[in-house]
Amino acid sequence: MTTPAAERGTTTIADRAVRRIAERAATEALAPGAVSAGRGTATVRGRRAEVGVTVTLPYPAVLDEAGETVRAHVAERTARLTGLTVPSARIRVRGLSRRERSAGQPAPPASDAGAAEAAGVRARRPWSQRRFPVAVLALVAAAACGIVLYDVLSVHAAGHTPARWRARAMEWLATHGPDGGAAWSIPAAIAVFGLGVWLLVLALTPGRRGRLPMKPPVPGVRAALERRAVAVFLRDAVTDVPGVGRVAVRVGRRTARVRAGLAFGEPDGARRAVTEAAGAAAAGLGLARPLRLRVRLRTEPTWRGAPPDESTP
């Protein structure tokens, strides 16, 4: 005897099971172990399921291509294993991770192993787009031009009389120009000229002087460090030197000035140790242009010298 299909019962797949399948499918999208999946989401409504997974992709990787590959694989694999319809999957890239090369894996090519500098790739300073000041200036200029254009069109097209403010402005400019004898006209013109030159300089220079470019790990990738982060890194490295108390670091575009106070110990040896610690820390930053170190060590008011060597006769 065959039971009708309507009386056989139903099979319900829990959201948790679909979520676990989607998370597992995300780790299988690329090479084994290349993708790590975080906590995902899944909602089952009848025979349809909506899934989402947070993943960490391998570095380097083209994010849009890798993300699309993971998304398609998660949707297809989840639909196949659950029997549900998965129209799409939401993939959120949380970060990038660089996998360590195993012992039997061949070494990457020179261009992918940080030899971009040898290949002729030059690190450039980050370029500041200055969006906010440009947007404000553009809005102010557009508003002023719009008001003037409206008054001109109303005079020539509709036959209206010119606005009082425009007539007074033209009269004032005609009587207060360089030939009007005003003493402040020439300084004002020089100031306007200087402002124009300054705007051109801002438009043609990179800006973002607070960032130092790093050596490109691969061609097409740019990285930079904040000066404050470099200063904190150097300060922590110098603070670890025995006997050093207060440390102040000021980092410029080419030079890093380190001022340290010696609380106890021998000054010459401490100065060498501070210089070596700062140099090693600066060399490990991977900057495109090595920093020139200026180390200044002073003894603190409570400085205590090194005890005499009793073994010396």
Side-chain angles (χ1 to χ4, degrees):
M1 179 178 179
T2 303
T3 304
E7 300 178 3
R8 296 177 188 174
T10 58
T11 301
T12 303
I13 302 178
D15 296 350
R16 180 180 179 183
V18 178
R19 174 175 60 83
R20 291 290 184 86
I21 293 175
E23 293 173 355
R24 180 69 178 181
T27 61
E28 302 171 350
L30 302 179
V35 180
S36 60
R39 186 173 181 84
T41 59
T43 303
V44 179
R45 294 186 177 91
R47 302 297 302 173
R48 294 171 61 90
E50 299 178 358
V51 298
V53 184
T54 301
V55 298
T56 300
L57 298 179
Y59 176 85
V62 181
L63 294 184
D64 56 349
E65 296 180 0
E68 177 61 23
T69 301
V70 175
R71 187 203 62 77
H73 183 79
V74 169
E76 187 272 336
R77 184 69 169 169
T78 305
R80 184 194 308 175
L81 295 180
T82 60
L84 302 175
T85 301
V86 183
S88 182
R90 298 185 305 275
I91 301 299
R92 179 177 179 270
V93 180
R94 176 179 56 188
L96 301 175
S97 64
R98 188 163 187 171
R99 294 182 300 164
E100 296 294 336
R101 182 168 55 90
S102 59
Q105 184 179 1
S111 59
D112 295 339
E117 183 179 3
V121 179
R122 181 182 178 184
R124 298 181 179 180
R125 290 174 51 193
W127 197 280
S128 176
Q129 297 181 357
R130 300 184 176 93
R131 295 178 179 178
F132 181 75
V134 170
V136 172
L137 181 60
L139 289 176
V140 172
C145 293
I147 294 174
V148 175
L149 180 61
Y150 172 78
D151 186 67
V152 171
L153 291 178
S154 65
V155 171
H156 292 277
H160 295 167
T161 58
R164 292 183 179 180
W165 61 267
R166 189 163 68 92
R168 292 179 179 178
M170 296 302 296
E171 181 182 357
W172 186 88
L173 291 174
T175 56
H176 291 77
D179 297 335
W184 53 268
S185 59
I186 296 180
I190 295 176
V192 172
F193 176 77
L195 178 62
V197 173
W198 177 244
L199 292 176
L200 290 176
V201 171
L202 292 179
L204 299 177
T205 53
R208 293 188 178 181
R209 300 176 63 86
R211 298 183 181 182
L212 301 177
M214 302 177 64
K215 296 178 181 178
V218 293
V221 176
R222 295 183 180 180
L225 277 178
E226 294 283 349
R227 290 188 189 179
R228 291 177 294 180
V230 175
V232 171
F233 190 79
L234 295 179
R235 184 187 62 192
D236 293 343
V238 174
T239 305
D240 293 338
V241 176
V244 174
R246 294 177 299 177
V247 178
V249 181
R250 184 178 179 182
V251 179
R253 289 184 55 193
R254 304 290 181 84
T255 305
R257 293 177 173 83
V258 180
R259 296 183 179 181
L262 184 63
F264 62 88
E266 197 271 326
D268 294 337
R271 183 175 291 102
R272 289 192 299 268
V274 168
T275 304
E276 294 175 357
L285 294 175
L287 298 177
R289 295 181 178 179
L291 291 174
R292 295 191 295 265
L293 295 177
R294 300 289 186 268
V295 178
R296 188 174 183 180
L297 183 67
R298 288 186 175 183
T299 57
E300 298 285 355
T302 57
W303 170 73
R304 292 178 289 106
D309 190 359
E310 298 179 356
S311 61
T312 303

